[in-house]
Amino acid sequence: MKAMLGLCILGAMPWIGYSLDETRAVAFHFMAVGQLLLTCPSRHTWMHPLPNPYLHAAVAAGIGLQVAAATVPAASQLLGHATISVELWGVVAGAALLAWAMAQACSRFVWRASRRKGWAS
């Protein structure tokens, strides 16, 4: 799901007028932020996971590092991509949240199916 959204970003952004550097930067940050957000749905298996505030702090710190890497020009140049504007952060956030929501829905579906079949107690 996340890969398909990344391909959509790579295909749509140049088509609507963004440069290849901006497109590459948005795709990079989407993949990184999206992967960080997918830690929550991936923890839901046949049982509910215990609360983990350290994991949430690590995800928040990782997202903060992504924002810093995109907004600080020296860090952006070091990583080899252009800085991205606030409107493009909307694309990154929207696509990452959509990927998270789809993964969360799949996770919930599998969890409920396992409960119906008696796999979990």
Side-chain angles (χ1 to χ4, degrees):
M1 293 178 281
K2 192 170 75 100
M4 290 302 294
L5 286 171
L7 285 173
C8 289
I9 287 171
L10 287 173
M13 289 195 53
W15 185 66
I16 58 176
Y18 288 100
S19 71
L20 291 179
D21 282 340
E22 289 171 316
T23 300
R24 185 179 61 203
V26 168
F28 170 79
H29 290 295
F30 160 69
M31 293 303 281
V33 171
Q35 194 63 35
L36 288 166
L37 291 180
L38 289 180
T39 58
C40 295
S42 66
R43 294 182 68 225
H44 293 239
T45 56
W46 53 272
M47 62 181 234
H48 283 290
L50 296 173
N52 190 343
Y54 298 108
L55 176 66
H56 299 305
V59 169
I63 292 171
L65 286 172
Q66 286 299 314
V67 171
T71 56
V72 176
S76 180
Q77 289 175 353
L78 183 65
L79 291 174
H81 56 81
T83 58
I84 60 176
S85 64
V86 174
E87 71 183 26
L88 292 179
W89 270 112
V91 172
V92 170
L97 288 173
L98 179 59
W100 171 82
M102 290 189 306
Q104 189 73 14
C106 288
S107 174
R108 296 289 173 142
F109 175 76
V110 168
W111 184 78
R112 286 185 180 146
S114 70
R115 299 287 293 185
R116 280 192 299 259
K117 291 183 180 185
W119 294 342
S121 50

